[in-house]
Amino acid sequence: MLRPGTAGRVFVAALASAGLVSGILAGGALAVAPQIQADDDFFSAATYTMDQGDKPTLLNNGVNLHNATAKLNGPDGMVLFESATVGNGVTTPAEGAQYLTVGSYAFLCTIHPLSMQAALQVSSAGTPVRRPSIDVTAAKGKVAKVAKKGKLPVTVRALTDSDKITLTLKLGMSKIGSQPEFNLAAGQQRKLSVKLTKAGKKQLRKKSKATVKVIGDVRFGASDTAKANLK
Ligand SMILES: [Cu+2]
């Protein structure tokens, strides 16, 4: 007689030998992230199906360069998902697809947009990965001190895993500083001194008080803004 659980283990082992076990462990479903295949110049299917939370890959079987790029934009104003542009024999992930919820999402190859169009069908199975999400805060301070140092203290906290975070400082309509790309893991917080431009420092020096707008952008997520009230 089989002990409880044995049947399940035998079942998993059988599927593991068939190469399906990663799909089971990820979401309890049998689906495996699809591989979008490109040739010169067409995609191998009109529709590719995947579970929520999966990330398809693109394999280029052709000689020409190809990519898989969503037609629609996401919450950051950039494409919902995209692969790198790759040459023959290269497999590359379609980044951003792991955040998609149920639906059909058209994509194309930006190099051959007329002949290379297809759709990514996301099923109701699985769970989407939580989109990158950041919280930006800026402290009050002295305008003279910020102008002299040329740096504005800003704190960024990541609510979920957030890659490619950038910060922009604005005084009215003009950009007066920025912070190059950085990454934060979920729950991680980073205190930064965002550098002002020469022109930005000059503008601030003329003021007795100023409100600097801090815009935090993150790839595949919504932006967050904060205001630094300087006196
Ligand atoms: Cu192409």
Side-chain angles (χ1 to χ4, degrees):
M1 193 183 121
L2 290 172
R3 281 169 290 123
T6 306
R9 279 201 292 277
V10 171
F11 180 62
V12 168
L15 289 165
S17 64
L20 291 168
V21 77
S22 61
I24 293 174
L25 296 177
L30 295 179
V32 168
Q35 185 170 68
I36 300 160
Q37 296 198 23
D39 212 320
D40 302 328
D41 294 319
F42 56 88
F43 286 119
S44 58
T47 304
Y48 299 88
T49 304
M50 68 166 219
D51 290 349
Q52 296 176 106
D54 277 348
K55 194 192 286 181
T57 54
L58 171 74
L59 166 63
N60 186 355
N61 290 321
V63 174
N64 297 333
L65 292 174
H66 299 295
N67 63 56
T69 305
K71 279 190 178 177
L72 292 178
N73 287 346
D76 60 347
M78 295 170 79
V79 289
L80 265 176
F81 58 90
E82 63 183 334
S83 78
T85 297
V86 293
N88 174 262
V90 181
T91 302
T92 188
E95 289 296 340
Q98 69 270 34
Y99 307 117
L100 297 174
T101 53
V102 185
S104 182
Y105 301 89
F107 66 91
L108 45 69
C109 169
T110 57
I111 301 168
H112 311 96
L114 295 181
S115 64
M116 297 184 74
Q117 297 205 18
L120 185 61
Q121 186 83 41
V122 181
S123 77
S124 58
T127 307
V129 175
R130 289 178 69 195
R131 281 193 179 274
S133 176
I134 54 168
D135 185 37
V136 179
T137 47
K140 289 174 188 165
K142 301 273 183 208
V143 68
K145 193 179 165 190
V146 171
K148 193 182 172 204
K149 284 195 166 183
K151 284 171 182 173
L152 183 79
V154 175
T155 303
V156 181
R157 196 165 67 88
L159 310 175
T160 56
D161 287 341
S162 298
D163 282 357
K164 296 186 180 176
I165 303 167
T166 56
L167 300 174
T168 307
L169 304 183
K170 278 190 165 182
L171 185 62
M173 293 297 280
S174 47
K175 181 177 164 179
I176 62 161
S178 62
Q179 175 72 36
E181 229 171 67
F182 61 99
N183 303 336
L184 290 175
Q188 214 182 351
Q189 181 171 291
R190 189 167 158 192
K191 288 179 193 238
L192 304 119
S193 295
V194 184
K195 235 179 140 184
L196 269 66
T197 60
K198 252 187 180 177
K201 276 191 273 185
K202 211 172 162 185
Q203 277 191 61
L204 268 190
R205 236 178 263 137
K206 292 180 205 157
K207 297 191 177 289
S208 58
K209 61 176 182 177
T211 300
V212 177
K213 194 176 177 189
V214 184
I215 304 156
D217 289 306
V218 59
R219 184 66 178 112
F220 300 120
S223 62
D224 189 53
T225 60
K227 277 176 183 169
N229 292 313
L230 308 176
K231 283 178 182 169

